[in-house]
Structures are given as C-alpha cells and as structure tokens.
Amino acid sequence: MPFPPRFVRRVQTLIAADSVCYSECNPVERESILQVWHEPDGEDGLTRGNGAFPDRDYWHTLRNTHPLFSYRRASGDWTTARKVSDFMTLREFRATAMYDAFYRGVIDHWLDVGLAPESVRTRLFIFTRHGRPDFDERDRLVAALLQPHLAQRAEEAEAALRAAEAMAAIEEGTIEEARRVVLCSASGLIEFGSASSRALLVRYLGLDNGRVPTSVLSRRELKLRDGDRSLQI
C-alpha cells in the first residue's frame, strides 16, 4: 500500500488540516475502493470497499453539487492542487446540497490534489478545515510540489506488487521443472523472495543477511551442490 495511515499522518505535518484523507474510488461502479484518513484527535483509519460510504448512492447523486468533484469530472484534471474557494465562496459552498447532506458542522474549507486518473479509479489526497481560515497559497504550493512525489511513490508500490504477484505465479505455476525466483538490487540486497527461495539460498549459499554475494550475481550460470542435491542458478 503506497499510502498507509502513518504516511497520511506525516502529510498533515506539511499542510495543516483538521482532517487528511487519501481516497480511491471507482467512478464507473460508483464505489469506494480504499479510504485512508487521519483525524484531528489523532485517530487513523483505513476502510476498503464501501464501508466508509454507507450512503454512497445518495453521495453520488449529489456529487456534482460539489464544485471540485464537478470540476475534476468535467475537465479530467486530477493532478492540479485546487480549493473549493477557487470556484465559490464559503456561503455558496454551504448552500450546496452536498454540503448540507455531508459536511455541515464538519467541513468549511477543502483543498485536494490527485494522481492521474484511470478508467475505473480516481485517487485524491483531501485536506479539510472547519472553523478556521481557508487554505492559503502556501498550502496550495506545498500540495503542488508533493504531487509528483506522491505519483512516484504510488507507481513504485504498484510495480513492487506486480513483481511479487508475478513471482508467486511463477512458483505456483504448473511447470515440469521446479523454479524459484529472487529479485534483488544490483548490490545483491534481496527485495523479494518467497520463504522457499530464501531457504534454498540459506542451504546452498549460507546466506543469513538477506544479501546475495555480487560474485554470484556476476555469473550468468552457477551450479551449487549440497550432498547429492544441486541448485542451478
């Protein structure tokens, strides 16, 4: 997970807000995928699926009355840091159906910035305040500077997940010859490896520090023996 609760909590130290939330939604199915948040009282939360949106049908019915949701859906721009006050005054925001149904007494000011949208997924970092001044241009600048780093972190986390899934598929596949895969850095640090893969490295190479010797990595092929058994790398 690229943005666990502890990460969302750290983001709040950069942009002061009453609440910070990382939100993933499926706009086609009108469903929540993942909600991760940090509240002002220090409470962290994580909800997968629609547990965070018991009134999701009603929420989706009203979402176009929210100026930022309406803007992002119409423009396709999810990566620019925007505030509700870019589009309407606080009085106008309080008069919207969305505010009346979900935000009254909880949210007055809203700043968000997102990652590039996909066909079935949108991803937003949402910062909110209540009972104090709106986010200023410094807050917007910080959000804009954060955006490429958030995108890179998400990309790296998903690449790692794909690598782990691919390795599991190789090991679990129905193939004639037993295969194990270990993914490591150029310096030999093991980044991914199943328990069975690591056990083979311990048995044949005596590894106990999670690092494959560069002398092994430099060889295109290597055959190691342990009694009457052998390991072909």
Side-chain angles (χ1 to χ4, degrees), residues 30-161:
R30 299 172 63 162
E31 293 181 342
S32 169
I33 300 173
L34 174 68
Q35 306 295 319
V36 184
W37 67 89
H38 176 66
E39 296 289 353
D41 59 3
E43 180 183 353
D44 296 333
L46 185 154
T47 302
R48 296 184 185 276
N50 292 313
F53 284 98
D55 299 322
R56 72 180 189 279
D57 290 335
Y58 188 42
W59 188 92
H60 280 280
T61 299
L62 300 180
R63 65 180 176 179
N64 281 339
T65 68
H66 190 300
L68 273 177
F69 290 137
S70 177
Y71 163 77
R72 297 207 183 277
R73 290 187 66 214
S75 67
D77 172 19
W78 291 79
T79 60
T80 303
R82 292 285 191 179
K83 302 187 294 181
V84 163
S85 55
D86 293 340
F87 303 90
M88 58 178 57
T89 66
L90 177 57
R91 173 177 287 186
E92 291 170 333
F93 184 41
R94 286 174 171 171
T96 63
M98 176 69 89
Y99 183 94
D100 188 57
F102 294 99
Y103 305 143
R104 185 168 301 280
V106 180
I107 294 173
D108 279 337
H109 305 294
W110 181 299
L111 165 71
D112 66 33
V113 65
L115 308 184
E118 302 167 356
S119 58
V120 293
R121 183 171 64 158
T122 59
R123 296 170 289 176
L124 273 178
F125 268 88
I126 302 168
F127 306 84
T128 62
R129 288 177 180 172
H130 178 258
R132 55 175 171 151
D134 192 6
F135 297 96
D136 58 23
E137 290 308 303
R138 180 263 181 197
D139 298 318
R140 189 202 302 271
L141 177 60
V142 172
L145 293 173
L146 271 175
Q147 196 281 334
H149 299 284
L150 298 173
Q152 181 179 359
R153 182 182 176 96
E155 182 178 347
E156 290 173 352
E158 294 188 355
L161 177 61

Side-chain angles (χ1 to χ4, degrees), residues 133-222:
D134 192 6
F135 297 96
D136 58 23
E137 290 308 303
R138 180 263 181 197
D139 298 318
R140 189 202 302 271
L141 177 60
V142 172
L145 293 173
L146 271 175
Q147 196 281 334
H149 299 284
L150 298 173
Q152 181 179 359
R153 182 182 176 96
E155 182 178 347
E156 290 173 352
E158 294 188 355
L161 177 61
R162 289 194 299 271
E165 290 175 342
M167 289 169 49
I170 290 172
E171 295 197 350
E172 295 171 2
T174 55
I175 52 180
E176 296 179 1
E177 187 178 357
R179 294 182 184 274
R180 297 290 181 266
V181 178
V182 172
L183 181 64
C184 58
S185 68
S187 64
L189 181 67
I190 298 175
E191 297 180 351
F192 299 100
S194 66
S196 58
S197 299
R198 291 175 181 269
L200 289 174
L201 293 179
V202 171
R203 176 177 178 179
Y204 287 93
L205 290 171
L207 297 185
D208 58 3
N209 62 355
R211 188 180 295 272
V212 179
T214 54
S215 59
V216 173
L217 293 179
S218 64
R219 301 279 296 273
R220 291 185 62 85
E221 292 186 18
L222 182 63

